[in-house]
Amino acid sequence: MSGLHSNANPTGGPVSRNSTGKTLGTSKTKMYPHSPVACLAYADIKSRRKQNPPSQFLIPTIIAFYAFAFVNLLAAAYGPIQDCDEVFNYWEPTHYLNHGYGLQTWEYSPEYAIRSWLYISLHAMIGKLWSIMPSTTKSSEFYFIRTILAFTCAGCEARLFSVISRTLNPRMGILFLLAMIFSPGMFHASAAYLPSSFAMYTNMLGMAAFMDWRGGLRTAQGIFWFATGGIVGWPFATILITPFMLEELGLATLSKQAWDTGSRLLDGTVRSLLVLALEVSVDTFFYKRVVAVPWNIVSYNVFSGSGRGPGIYGTEPWHFYIRNLLLNFNIWFVLAISALPLLGMQYYFRRRATTMQTLLRSVVFTLPLYLWLAIFTLQPHKEERFMYPVYPALGLNAAIALHMILSYVGSTDPNEFIGRVPGKIKFALVSVFMLAVIDVGLSRTFGMVTAYSAPLKVYDALQQPGGATAGDTVCFGKEWYRFSTSFLLPDQVRPKFIKSAFDGLLPGEFSEANVGFGIFPGASLIPPGMNDENKEDIGKYVCLASPCTATESLPTA
């Protein structure tokens, strides 16, 4: 693969020798003169010198950040909320912390405790910081939190883009950028208030740490970021560290530097345990008992037994994620799953374009997508947000695959058919292809925004004079799942539910007791009528005859 190589010494920094030829070491990780790791480094550097990356494709990281931020800010301002879990499990608890009331799901009952208050608190502090500014509203607080999420995502994307451009190839960096900013999937995920989006952010930083060998191995940093995404966000996202850890262990075996490897692993483990300690401390403060939320999440989803677990909320066929990713990434997804086969084909049929060292590193980079798809395709319960953590890996795979294809198309070897095709024709075909891919992505994004953003706007009328006042109620029936958060309702206007055809468990309300129960009592008091079996609780409804200032949908017969 022309140009796919490491621009960094895989073992750390440059190797220095004194006059006797003795190795002096590197800045971060020692290399010994004839170790397999040193040989790998020398081969990689030699390959880099022979295959100088096209500098015309190298764009400054800050420019990439601006591009990512621009698209993410559009998502924060106009993107619809894709999943009602985002509303009820994250926006509503945040509203409770900052405004004293909100809807509560069974996951936040101290009986079950499978949602992290640390994750909520981080966002609540951002909202509180905004709310102390003069002339702010709850809706502006909502959009401010989304804006911070958009910038955070852009920073993580820019970091990974920078590493791809420097470690692999600048053209790959540009292709990664295009895959990310023109895909509807990233548009939804970038500013979503979901643990899977948070894990996506940290996974980008973790991938960048493991991929960037300049100045030494960053194993501890990579472990820390993947662990942070799993502990604070979604535990299952840590699966994506597996290929990188296998590479680390493989290098340790080849180099016989078990002490250095052990030190890096211990460093990463200690950092991760500190994050876990913070998580347990914060959740213990809120739940008023010692809990390990990451374990509770795994326990419920994996070991809950019959009648419980994610399967009771619906199942999908094995091809659900294939169809979903084709919608959200179109041709980028096809390219992404083609990356590994293309690497193999290129190595065996065009050996001069790549080396074994390059091939092995490339395989490590492409494996996370296949691992994630394999595991989650086997799970009966499937949701679009479960794919968020792997979106950056999908973008990377697509960039690698398209880079290989473009390298082949750009061949001028007269012995190959493609080398005899006029350059202008190649350029025209590639241009049409890229424009079509971008157009399809933009069309779906525009369609989603224009067709599904009503829940973010429908309450605007209540904000107008005479619309709604403190103590009023907005009632929801069969389309309760379209409620977009109490942040968009006027202050002290409460959402309520009326009976409809839905017969599952609806959210209740956080207790607003303010005497004798400490700070945030709604987090530690066990709410009535909660269960982990999705069984209906009639106590969650109000009578239709009760005063409703507005009703979003009428009950079905």
Side-chain angles (χ1 to χ4, degrees):
M1 175 170 38
S2 177
L4 177 53
H5 54 270
S6 174
N7 287 349
N9 186 333
T11 58
V15 177
S16 301
R17 291 190 178 91
N18 60 17
S19 59
T20 65
K22 183 178 179 181
T23 301
L24 298 179
T26 63
S27 58
K28 293 287 184 71
T29 302
K30 291 175 68 176
M31 281 198 311
Y32 299 93
H34 302 295
S35 73
V37 178
C39 294
L40 177 62
Y42 299 146
D44 217 25
I45 294 171
K46 186 177 180 180
S47 172
R48 173 167 61 87
R49 289 173 177 170
K50 287 183 177 180
Q51 302 174 6
N52 216 6
S55 58
Q56 66 267 26
F57 292 116
L58 186 61
I59 63 175
T61 302
I62 189 63
I63 300 300
F65 172 78
Y66 290 151
F68 289 128
F70 175 74
V71 175
N72 294 351
L73 287 173
L74 289 177
Y78 301 107
I81 295 178
Q82 295 286 102
D83 195 315
C84 64
D85 261 10
E86 181 178 350
V87 174
F88 297 118
N89 275 321
Y90 306 104
W91 283 112
E92 286 301 294
T94 304
H95 190 274
Y96 166 69
L97 292 187
N98 285 0
H99 299 279
Y101 64 95
L103 296 175
Q104 180 184 24
T105 63
W106 67 269
E107 291 97 328
Y108 282 93
S109 171
E111 288 182 286
Y112 309 107
I114 65 170
R115 291 290 180 261
S116 167
W117 280 107
L118 174 59
Y119 178 65
I120 298 299
S121 299
L122 294 173
H123 296 75
M125 287 188 291
I126 295 171
K128 182 60 76 172
L129 179 66
W130 174 257
S131 66
I132 62 177
M133 303 294 288
S135 303
T136 59
T137 62
K138 290 199 305 176
S139 59
S140 67
E141 182 182 344
F142 168 82
Y143 284 106
F144 180 72
I145 294 174
R146 282 187 126 191
T147 298
I148 297 301
L149 292 175
F151 275 118
T152 302
C153 183
C156 297
E157 288 174 298
R159 165 62 178 156
L160 184 54
F161 162 85
S162 175
V163 171
I164 292 171
S165 297
R166 290 183 287 103
T167 301
L168 299 181
N169 187 282
R171 183 168 68 185
M172 270 188 225
I174 292 178
L175 296 175
F176 171 78
L177 183 147
L178 294 176
M180 299 293 273
I181 66 177
F182 290 114
S183 295
M186 273 304 300
F187 185 84
H188 304 321
S190 60
Y193 185 3
L194 288 167
S196 50
S197 281
F198 179 81
M200 179 183 72
Y201 304 161
T202 57
N203 283 356
M204 283 190 272
L205 299 177
M207 289 171 62
F210 276 110
M211 292 170 65
D212 188 2
W213 283 358
R214 298 191 315 163
L217 300 181
R218 293 174 170 80
T219 306
Q221 186 182 121
I223 293 173
F224 167 77
W225 285 120
F226 276 106
T228 298
I231 294 169
V232 181
W234 198 34
F236 302 105
T238 55
I239 294 169
L240 292 173
I241 199 177
T242 305
F244 300 103
M245 291 305 298
L246 291 176
E247 179 187 41
E248 176 77 14
L249 296 176
L251 288 175
T253 302
L254 288 173
S255 64
K256 297 181 174 59
Q257 296 180 30
W259 177 260
D260 288 344
T261 301
S263 297
R264 293 192 296 272
L265 296 179
L266 179 61
D267 186 3
T269 301
V270 170
R271 299 186 195 190
S272 304
L273 289 175
L274 291 175
V275 176
L276 180 61
L278 176 62
E279 165 86 12
V280 172
S281 298
V282 172
D283 286 331
T284 298
F285 168 79
F286 279 98
Y287 285 117
K288 298 296 189 291
R289 67 185 184 90
V290 178
V291 293
V293 168
W295 165 248
N296 289 350
I297 294 173
V298 173
S299 177
Y300 176 77
N301 284 278
V302 180
F303 307 112
S304 53
S306 177
R308 292 179 172 84
I312 65 176
Y313 299 99
T315 59
E316 299 290 344
W318 67 270
H319 49 77
F320 172 84
Y321 288 129
I322 295 176
R323 292 183 287 114
N324 180 265
L325 291 172
L326 282 172
L327 282 173
N328 283 326
F329 284 88
N330 53 78
I331 195 63
W332 296 113
F333 173 62
V334 177
L335 289 167
I337 61 175
S338 303
L340 195 56
L342 286 174
L343 280 170
M345 291 171 61
Q346 180 168 263
Y347 179 74
Y348 284 105
F349 295 111
R350 307 184 81 226
R351 285 179 179 264
R352 67 182 182 278
T354 189
T355 65
M356 176 58 75
Q357 292 79 16
T358 296
L359 176 67
L360 292 177
R361 284 228 82 194
S362 302
V363 168
V364 170
F365 298 160
T366 58
L367 279 180
L369 174 64
Y370 300 101
L371 177 64
W372 191 263
L373 279 177
I375 292 173
F376 281 87
T377 296
L378 295 175
Q379 309 308 309
H381 180 65
K382 299 176 176 67
E383 297 186 39
E384 179 178 319
R385 62 193 169 99
F386 294 171
M387 289 292 106
Y388 288 3
V390 84
Y391 280 178
L394 190 156
L396 174 59
N397 278 31
I400 290 174
L402 187 53
H403 173 78
M404 286 189 285
I405 293 172
L406 292 177
S407 296
Y408 173 72
V409 171
S411 172
T412 57
D413 187 347
N415 296 320
E416 297 178 330
F417 169 76
I418 195 67
R420 297 192 293 272
V421 177
K424 291 183 178 180
I425 294 178
K426 295 179 185 178
F427 179 77
L429 291 176
V430 170
S431 298
V432 170
F433 171 80
M434 294 302 299
L435 289 174
V437 171
I438 292 172
D439 182 61
V440 170
L442 289 176
S443 296
R444 176 162 175 79
T445 300
F446 183 77
M448 291 293 292
V449 170
T450 55
Y452 295 97
S453 59
L456 294 177
K457 304 173 182 176
V458 70
Y459 311 113
D460 289 351
L462 299 178
Q463 305 280 2
Q464 303 303 316
T469 57
D472 286 346
T473 299
V474 178
C475 297
F476 298 85
K478 63 181 180 180
E479 295 190 348
W480 58 272
Y481 54 89
R482 297 191 189 278
F483 174 55
S484 57
T485 171
S486 296
F487 278 100
L488 300 182
L489 294 176
D491 196 31
Q492 296 300 323
V493 172
R494 310 299 181 97
K496 301 288 184 179
F497 300 107
I498 53 178
K499 178 60 181 168
S500 69
F502 179 75
D503 60 357
L505 181 65
L506 288 169
E509 297 180 11
F510 284 103
S511 172
E512 297 174 34
N514 54 16
V515 177
F517 297 101
I519 303 174
F520 303 120
S524 59
L525 296 176
I526 297 177
M530 294 296 190
N531 64 81
D532 62 351
E533 300 174 85
N534 199 27
K535 292 181 178 179
E536 184 178 31
D537 173 36
I538 60 173
K540 301 294 190 294
Y541 303 113
V542 295
C543 178
L544 186 58
S546 65
C548 290
T549 305
T551 304
E552 187 165 4
S553 63
L554 294 175
T556 57

